[in-house]
Amino acid sequence: KQEVTQIPAALSVPEGENLVLNCSFTDSAIYNLQWFRQDPGKGLTSLLLIQSSQREQTSGRLNASLDKSSGRSTLYIAASQPGDSATYLCAVMDSSYKLIFGSGTRLLVRP
Amino acid sequence: SAVISQKPSRDICQRGTSLTIQCQVDSQVTMMFWYRQQPGQSLTLIATANQGSEATYESGFVIDKFPISRPNLTFSTLTVSNMSPEDSSIYLCSVPRTWGYTFGSGTRLTVV
């Protein structure tokens, strides 16, 4: 059974810092991995999608990497801003097209 | 990206009653997924809704409690039946796209 773990559970950083969020999964037979952002009480916003054949994806200040063989992904956020404060979720898609989510990292960027 | 309209955005319901949540997608999709997010928790898949067939439920979720309809390729409903305070959660629908999954804005349900 696929399990997804995110570390750390919570993170507080001063504005301007670069930071890394970690995601690990137990079964390397995934189709893709997706990073989402969730603001309190809101739905999910897709940030980046990495196909299983890809190593990384970039969008603006965000860069996500994928090492399928070791079951790891990282989300790198450059020059963090208070507006980046949210919960970040990673999810892997299995062979039945279902998304399995990690428990999330709650990020607070202090002004 | 796909636009999903989810209603209602929130509701407060009495225990023992039922609530039906609707999701309308702006284009046809084969599969739609329903998720639950309990307070402080991550998302858990409830069921997969396929047009023209019964929904497929995940372990721990049953049709009597969470009946799902999928009358066409752009619409689905999830009903939370005979509600108790433990059903207080955010419920979200989702559809797969080539660029990843897109989610509705969620329904925040509080059962009192």
Side-chain angles (χ1 to χ4, degrees):
Chain A
K1 177 185 174 184
Q2 177 75 269
E3 293 184 1
V4 181
T5 303
Q6 289 187 247
I7 295 173
L11 184 62
S12 177
V13 300
E15 181 176 5
E17 272 205 8
N18 303 324
L19 55 100
V20 175
L21 308 182
N22 297 290
C23 173
S24 62
F25 46 95
T26 55
D27 186 349
S28 62
I30 64 170
Y31 280 167
N32 59 48
L33 184 145
Q34 197 165 354
W35 283 92
F36 295 90
R37 168 188 172 134
Q38 186 176 32
D39 293 287
K42 304 291 186 181
L44 275 66
T45 301
S46 178
L47 298 174
L48 289 164
L49 169 71
I50 310 177
Q51 300 292 350
S52 62
S53 59
Q54 296 176 319
R55 298 285 292 185
E56 66 178 319
Q57 282 286 337
T58 298
S59 175
R61 294 183 293 109
L62 305 179
N63 175 276
S65 68
L66 174 64
D67 184 341
K68 202 173 75 163
S69 61
S70 67
R72 296 180 186 274
S73 176
T74 61
L75 178 67
Y76 175 82
I77 302 177
S80 58
Q81 303 170 358
D84 295 329
S85 298
T87 296
Y88 291 80
L89 297 161
C90 75
V92 299
M93 187 170 82
D94 68 9
S95 57
S96 59
Y97 302 102
K98 299 174 187 176
L99 281 184
I100 297 113
F101 281 84
S103 53
T105 294
R106 295 188 312 278
L107 173 65
L108 174 65
V109 181
R110 308 185 305 271
Chain B
S1 61
V3 174
I4 304 177
S5 175
Q6 183 172 344
K7 301 178 187 179
S9 60
R10 58 177 62 228
D11 207 341
I12 301 173
C13 300
Q14 297 290 324
R15 66 179 67 201
T17 62
S18 298
L19 176 71
T20 295
I21 302 167
Q22 301 179 2
C23 273
Q24 177 76 51
V25 188
D26 65 347
S27 58
Q28 294 183 342
V29 292
T30 303
M31 292 186 290
M32 292 181 71
F33 299 89
W34 287 96
Y35 287 84
R36 180 177 74 181
Q37 186 176 31
Q38 295 176 298
Q41 305 293 316
S42 191
L43 280 75
T44 302
L45 181 64
I46 298 172
T48 304
N50 299 303
Q51 195 271 335
S53 64
E54 292 283 336
T56 304
Y57 289 82
E58 298 299 304
S59 176
F61 297 96
V62 295
I63 187 171
D64 290 346
K65 177 66 176 177
F66 298 101
I68 287 172
S69 77
R70 185 81 201 277
N72 57 54
L73 290 174
T74 63
F75 186 79
S76 179
T77 67
L78 169 76
T79 298
V80 186
S81 303
N82 189 24
M83 289 184 286
S84 67
E86 292 70 35
D87 294 318
S88 297
S89 298
I90 298 175
Y91 293 86
L92 303 105
C93 60
S94 174
V95 298
R97 291 300 196 196
T98 54
W99 54 84
Y101 278 72
T102 297
F103 282 77
S105 55
T107 297
R108 178 182 286 276
L109 170 62
T110 302
V111 183
V112 296

